[in-house]
């Protein structure tokens, strides 16, 4: 074994305050069914020394290995994840605020930010002895799971809703994974997956195991390194579906604050489609958890999550950051996708286009002030 230096010490449930040994495979909290989150021994780590030492490490998310859960570096299944580019959107012109930046996770293996969660969760599942992995997916998570499963030599089954583009199924199969097409949305596909697989496989569904969030939190670490504590964005506009991205961003910034490396966190702004906006609705209504969305209908498959699991954690992340949310019509999302390509040369996934679609409404509704330094999180690559 090559020790990674991981400072993981326990899993905790924020809902019922139980704690668990992290060295066995675990799904949701055995006591109450909510999400378990990884907790690290941060007190034993000199934040400033650690942060300075990162300069000498290769790019990519595994540079943060002390704050990731894998104990044996030999268990890591990596595809050479780069640190993804962050840059100012410009040149400044009409309609483009001077304080607008983008971070482009389309540069990751398989073309989306889902690679972050999967490289970490698949590696940790391998370390803990998982023999078979499964998850429901709208597409990108399944493609990433299939790729990292291949890299780790663990069989993978992906449950895709029936409406998902057949090309997505082909991409998943291309990595040697099995595909089951079932159900109208990811909710039904997930229920069927658990019915069929629970006895033989390990469930990597969004927020039902602790470690995809750990991969996602490296979005916050990279942003902090790329912008620096003084020039951190004031707000991050993020396309929300299952919510791991928001939970991960929040957790990452909180850990950096606990290490004394940041004084403040950016405000997290959730963007959804008007055709499926349970998180935005709950933020508006001030409820502790989301209400199921009855008819999920949107052009953005990754945003079609009618009942996100452990939504308390998602809402908590947005609220703790003093953030907010907004829903945009599908027509604006599609138009924003074209606009990003024509105006900036960025061909992004339809979910990511929602961030750009949201900017005018965020300004006019006052959720975002025009003088706030704003980062659009572009979660995936388009076909262009
Ligand atoms: C490109 C893209 N962006 C955003 C999301 C939403 O992800 P989450 O809310 O789980 O972070 C997805 C999920 O499928 C996606 O594929
Ligand atoms: Zn619990």
């Amino acid at each position: 074994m090559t020790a990674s230096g991981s400072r993981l010490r326990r899993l905790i449930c924020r809902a019922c305050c139980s704690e668990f040994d992290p060295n066995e495979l675990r799904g949701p909290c055995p006591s109450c069914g909510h999400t378990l989150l990884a907790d690290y021994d941060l007190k034993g780590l000199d934040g400033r020394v650690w942060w300075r030492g990162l300069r000498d490490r290769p790019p990519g998310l595994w540079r943060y290995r002390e704050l990731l859960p894998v104990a044996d570096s030999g268990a890591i299944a990596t595809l050479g994840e780069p640190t993804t580019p962050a840059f100012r959107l410009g040149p400044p012109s009409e309609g483009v605020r001077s304080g607008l930046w983008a971070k482009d996770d389309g540069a990751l293996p398989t073309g989306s930010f889902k690679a972050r969660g999967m490289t970490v969760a698949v590696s940790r599942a391998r370390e803990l002895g998982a023999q078979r992995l499964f998850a429901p997916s709208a597409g990108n998570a399944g493609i990433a799971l299939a790729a990292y499963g291949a890299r780790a030599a663990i069989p993978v089954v992906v449950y895709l809703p029936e409406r998902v583009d057949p090309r997505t199924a082909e991409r998943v199969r291309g990595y040697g994974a099995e595909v089951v097409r079932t159900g109208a949305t990811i909710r039904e596909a997930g229920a069927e997956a658990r019915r069929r697989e629970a006895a033989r496989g390990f469930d990597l569904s969004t927020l039902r195991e602790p470690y995809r969030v750990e991969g996602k939190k490296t979005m916050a670490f990279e942003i902090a390194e790329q912008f620096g504590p003084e020039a951190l964005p004031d707000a991050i506009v993020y396309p929300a579906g299952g919510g791991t991205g928001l939970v991960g961003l929040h957790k990452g910034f909180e850990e950096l604050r606990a290490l004394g490396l940041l004084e403040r966190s950016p405000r997290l702004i959730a963007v959804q489609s008007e055709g499926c906006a349970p998180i935005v609705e709950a933020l508006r209504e001030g409820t502790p958890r989301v209400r199921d969305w009855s008819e999920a209908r949107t052009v953005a498959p990754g945003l079609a999550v009618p009942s996100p699991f452990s939504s308390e954690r998602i809402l908590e992340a947005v609220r703790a950051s003093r953030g907010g949310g907004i829903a945009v019509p599908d027509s604006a999302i599609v138009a924003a996708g074209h606009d990003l390509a024509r105006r900036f040369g960025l061909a992004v996934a339809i979910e990511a286009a929602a961030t750009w679609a949201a900017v005018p409404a965020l300004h006019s509704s006052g959720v975002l002030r025009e003088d706030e330094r704003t980062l659009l999180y572009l979660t995936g690559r388009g076909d262009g």
Side-chain angles (χ1 to χ4, degrees), residues 13 16 29 32:
C13 174
C16 74
C29 174
C32 77

Side-chain angles (χ1 to χ4, degrees), residues 40-381:
Y40 296 81
D41 175 19
L42 297 182
K43 288 208 178 66
L45 187 67
D46 183 326
R48 275 166 218 289
V49 172
W50 178 67
W51 199 244
R52 264 198 309 275
L54 294 176
R55 277 192 229 140
D56 302 324
R57 295 186 182 180
L61 62 94
W62 287 103
R63 64 206 263 104
Y64 310 111
R65 55 182 186 261
E66 288 84 357
L67 297 192
L68 291 173
V70 178
D72 177 3
S73 294
I76 293 174
T78 176
L79 293 165
E81 304 72 30
T83 295
T84 62
F87 50 92
R88 194 168 192 145
L89 284 179
S93 59
E94 203 190 333
V96 180
R97 321 291 156 171
S98 55
L100 199 59
W101 281 259
K103 183 163 170 68
D104 186 7
D105 268 10
L108 286 165
T110 70
S112 84
F113 80 118
K114 299 283 182 184
R116 293 182 188 275
M118 290 304 180
T119 181
V120 173
V122 169
S123 299
R124 183 65 176 155
R126 168 157 79 172
E127 179 164 57
L128 297 178
Q131 301 290 317
R132 178 181 166 96
L133 304 172
F134 73 93
S137 170
N140 286 323
I143 294 165
L145 171 57
Y148 284 97
R151 187 78 181 88
I154 305 177
V156 163
V157 195
V158 176
Y159 284 72
L160 297 172
E162 276 149 10
R163 263 185 269 162
V164 164
D165 187 334
R167 284 175 302 180
T168 300
E170 279 318 300
R171 283 187 67 191
V172 174
R173 284 196 196 97
Y175 291 110
E178 192 183 324
V179 170
V180 179
R181 304 196 62 148
T182 179
T185 71
I186 193 162
R187 173 175 50 195
E188 292 78 25
E192 181 64 13
R194 278 179 284 283
R195 229 181 344 265
R196 290 210 215 170
E197 301 286 341
R200 54 183 174 164
F202 182 65
D203 187 358
L204 280 170
S205 303
T206 299
L207 294 174
R208 286 181 193 261
E209 59 73 53
Y211 300 121
R212 281 174 65 188
V213 167
E214 294 306 292
K216 302 288 176 72
K217 85 183 178 192
T218 63
M219 297 190 289
F221 293 174
E222 286 183 18
I223 290 167
E225 272 201 283
Q226 287 169 316
F227 287 82
E230 306 300 324
L232 212 58
D234 297 311
I236 298 174
V237 181
Y238 190 88
T244 25
L246 290 167
V247 175
L249 277 165
H250 175 61
K251 189 169 190 286
F253 286 122
E254 287 304 300
E255 287 176 3
L256 296 183
R257 284 174 69 159
L259 285 168
L261 295 165
L262 293 182
E263 285 181 4
R264 61 177 180 90
S265 302
R267 301 203 298 127
L268 301 179
I269 311 290
V271 180
Q272 298 200 288
S273 160
E274 283 180 356
C276 183
I279 296 172
V280 172
E281 183 187 67
L283 287 169
R284 195 173 46 232
E285 293 179 355
T287 54
R289 69 186 67 87
V290 308
R291 216 163 354 114
D292 282 13
W293 195 268
S294 52
E295 285 278 315
R297 243 190 241 122
T298 162
V299 287
L303 307 188
V305 185
S307 47
F309 185 69
S310 261
S311 59
E312 291 87 342
R313 298 288 84 74
I314 305 167
L315 298 170
E316 186 179 272
V318 175
R319 288 177 180 140
S321 75
R322 295 171 299 106
I326 203 152
V328 285
D330 274 3
S331 55
I333 298 177
V334 172
H338 294 310
D339 198 47
L340 279 169
R342 294 208 187 104
R343 202 193 285 223
F344 304 110
L346 287 166
V348 305
I350 189 78
E351 295 83 1
T355 61
W356 181 230
V359 170
L362 286 169
H363 285 154
S364 63
S365 63
V367 177
L368 200 61
R369 289 193 324 270
E370 296 201 18
D371 62 352
E372 285 185 284
R373 297 161 49 83
T374 299
L375 176 71
L376 303 184
Y377 210 105
L378 305 178
T379 44
R381 177 164 78 212

Side-chain angles (χ1 to χ4, degrees), residues 13-18 20 29-34 36:
C13 174
R14 293 235 181 105
C16 74
C17 299
S18 304
F20 301 93
C29 174
S31 311
C32 77
H34 280 272
L36 292 179

